[in-house]
DNA sequence: ATAATAGTGTCTCTTAGACAGTATGAT
DNA sequence: ATCATACTGTCTAAGAGACACTATTAT
């Protein structure tokens, strides 16, 4: 067996250029609650929102862009994303973060050879409230996604945002990331609302059937379980309705969604 | 690292270092068929294999590694991956390729600040046969995955390979990427074999039930459809058995696997 | 009473899962 | 006859989907 040694390069010859930086950019999604003025207690209206910052550079005039920043040699990409998150929102870890994809094509950044490692982060609204309070002079703002897409975003951030949204929608149906937008204990309506807010096409005709599908049966484990008190009685909440609503939580069991 | 000072680039502020390169590394999976010496026609034994190349550098002695190479400013990351694929296997496009994740942690590459954009590629065995024939003096070899994991792989390639395998297993159950390892028309046994080869834990007790689950019913679309001739009669194959086996193909319909 | 939400029960028809059996054709 | 694979049919019980109805309590 002969080897083609010439092909493997040990050290990069000096004549080669290398990237001018490797930033991470973050698509931070949250769900905003807007209380509705109804006659009796009701569920707030919810909308999916994304965090954008206003760029005030010469390069990309007054455009909105995904928050992000250059990674350092001494940190991992995850650490960089967390650092940016902290700088921008004052959120310190303990939030869902995942790497989406790395973007590069010639000319994507007028400043040079700068690929971008995109991240997706899902954050509960409450965490951001605290964060924003702490730094209201920020150049960051939450946009409902339709509004965000109506903007002329900097760089290829529209493409990144599109991919990120698709990723979140897929995972919303195939995993239990709905957790990221819910308290530990929640009502069925809240869960339904979260799913429908993220995936508008998701419609459930019958709440009763939906409930049964998620609870354990004889030959199936359950995704949800009812919250019970010391006596084993179900716990109810009247936060969003006069009629007490059963509280549920996610079980340890996460089914592997499969098509076969 | 001092040698790299020379390549300070125009745009970024001089005080900042930037990466020394951004290679793509490819986890190329294929399924090897090993005919079994049986008394009558039979299905070949199949095993999942990954392509590795032998590194002969001072840095990482005689180790095996994922094939890959540095990306250029003038190309996208996908193009770089395709280019590497072509150089290593002579395969020219038309194969499944997808970006997995970008890896970096301080020290992952002793040569410097070199993150790696990992790709996953699924290639049908036949394509590789042609490719290997064309370049037998290659330093590349296919390893059954268990053997690959038994090796002391260079860099963090074991971690990458682990993630890649997990990704392929997930998608094997949640999408129809089994396509990548199958001809257009195939028997149920072949499909089952592919799934079981990639996901060993996937077991089907009853072939008849498996078949019914994949075909269209009154209130469900089908993942598969039987191949029929001009008269509407099913087409059979005796390639792997004396008993004629119905041929199937994937339909356009790909269900969205969901847990709710 | 009504508003907005939550909950229960029941009926039917699909279909998953299990089981049992036959078929093919080369050796 | 046997081997390795493929196909067919039936039975049962589970559960999805549809429908109809009641409950809660502030206003």
């Amino acid at each position: 067996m002969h080897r083609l040694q010439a092909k493997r390069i040990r050290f990069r010859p000096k004549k080669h250029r290398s990237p001018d930086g490797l930033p991470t950019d973050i698509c931070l999604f949250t769900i905003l609650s807007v209380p509705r003025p109804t006659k009796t207690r009701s569920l707030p209206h919810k909308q999916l929102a994304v965090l954008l910052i206003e760029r005030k550079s010469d390069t990309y005039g007054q455009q909105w862009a995904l928050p992000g920043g250059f990674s350092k040699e001494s940190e991992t990409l995850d650490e960089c994303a967390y650092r940016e998150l902290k700088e921008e929102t004052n959120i310190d870890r303990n939030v869902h973060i995942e790497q989406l994809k790395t973007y590069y094509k010639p000319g994507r950044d007028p400043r040079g050879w700068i690929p971008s490692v995109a991240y997706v982060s899902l954050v509960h609204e409450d965490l951001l409230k605290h964060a924003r309070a702490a730094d209201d002079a920020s150049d960051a703002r939450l946009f409902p996604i339709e509004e965000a897409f109506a903007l002329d975003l900097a760089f290829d951030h529209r493409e990144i945002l599109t991919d990120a949204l698709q990723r979140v929608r897929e995972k919303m149906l195939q995993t239990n990331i709905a957790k990221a937008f819910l308290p530990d204990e929640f009502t069925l309506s809240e869960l339904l609302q979260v799913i429908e807010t993220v995936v508008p096409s998701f419609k459930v005709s019958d709440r009763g059937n939906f409930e049964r599908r998620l609870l354990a049966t004889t030959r199936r484990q359950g995704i949800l379980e009812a919250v019970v008190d010391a006596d084993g009685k179900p716990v109810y909440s009247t936060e969003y309705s006069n009629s007490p609503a059963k509280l549920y939580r996610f079980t340890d069991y996460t089914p592997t969604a499969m098509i076969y």
Side-chain angles (χ1 to χ4, degrees), chain A:
Chain A
M1 251 223 286
H2 298 277
R3 326 281 177 184
L4 300 179
Q5 306 199 26
K7 231 188 331 189
R8 301 280 124 238
I9 298 167
R10 188 162 315 142
F11 293 100
R12 302 214 63 208
K14 289 209 167 82
K15 59 177 178 178
H16 285 147
R17 293 233 317 108
S18 67
D20 300 321
L22 186 63
T24 63
D25 287 313
I26 304 174
C27 295
L28 185 155
F29 293 106
T30 192
I31 291 185
L32 297 176
S33 293
V34 185
R36 295 177 304 151
T38 51
K39 301 188 175 176
T40 73
R41 260 176 280 186
S42 67
L43 291 157
H45 178 250
K46 301 206 168 178
Q47 63 188 167
L48 186 63
V50 62
L51 187 76
L52 298 178
I53 57 143
E54 190 166 19
R55 289 187 70 86
K56 294 195 177 138
S57 65
D58 336 334
T59 26
Y60 266 81
Q62 210 88 343
Q63 285 181 308
W64 291 89
L66 297 170
F70 288 96
S71 65
K72 302 174 183 169
E73 183 173 15
S74 60
E75 69 187 356
T76 66
L77 295 167
D78 282 11
E79 283 164 358
C80 176
Y82 274 121
R83 181 167 55 76
E84 290 300 328
L85 209 58
K86 165 102 178 163
E87 288 173 13
E88 214 63 61
T89 66
N90 205 31
I91 287 174
D92 212 351
R93 304 293 174 121
N94 281 61
V95 291
H96 179 97
I97 212 176
E98 71 181 66
Q99 197 184 302
L100 174 65
K101 191 180 161 184
T102 298
Y103 292 80
Y104 179 71
K105 65 182 166 216
R108 75 168 287 280
D109 190 322
R111 295 168 300 178
W113 182 2
I114 305 180
S116 162
V117 183
Y119 274 77
V120 169
S121 178
L122 306 183
V123 179
H124 195 285
E125 183 181 20
D126 294 348
L127 289 177
L128 286 172
K129 276 188 192 130
H130 295 135
R132 268 185 292 174
D135 179 12
D136 207 15
S138 165
D139 50 355
R141 243 199 71 192
L142 288 172
F143 288 87
I145 39 161
E146 309 81 24
E147 288 181 35
F149 277 116
L151 296 172
D152 179 32
L153 299 178
F155 307 109
D156 50 3
H157 286 187
R158 164 185 290 270
E159 182 187 353
I160 295 177
L161 186 55
T162 303
D163 292 351
L165 185 57
Q166 191 189 328
R167 164 80 65 98
V168 173
R169 287 185 170 154
E170 277 172 12
K171 294 196 83 169
M172 180 60 58
L173 298 178
Q174 301 186 348
T175 74
N176 55 12
I177 52 160
K179 270 185 179 175
F181 293 131
L182 288 168
D184 280 347
E185 304 179 350
F186 50 87
T187 65
L188 273 188
S189 295
E190 287 181 279
L191 172 57
L192 266 171
Q193 254 201 328
V194 165
I195 302 176
E196 286 173 1
T197 302
V198 175
V199 189
S201 63
F202 183 85
K203 287 288 178 224
V204 165
S205 54
D206 192 303
R207 281 177 40 97
N209 293 338
F210 179 70
E211 177 182 15
R212 264 194 325 222
R213 208 157 55 224
L214 299 191
L215 297 175
T217 68
T218 18
R219 50 182 195 201
R220 209 196 43 213
Q221 296 200 62
I223 299 172
L224 300 185
E225 63 188 7
V227 177
V228 294
D229 62 17
D231 303 331
K233 300 279 180 195
V235 179
Y236 292 83
S237 157
T238 54
E239 190 174 359
Y240 299 120
S241 86
N242 296 322
S243 180
K246 240 180 237 158
L247 286 175
Y248 293 91
R249 70 164 68 90
F250 281 103
T251 61
D252 293 335
Y253 172 68
T254 312
T256 312
M258 61 166 100
I259 66 170
Y260 295 109

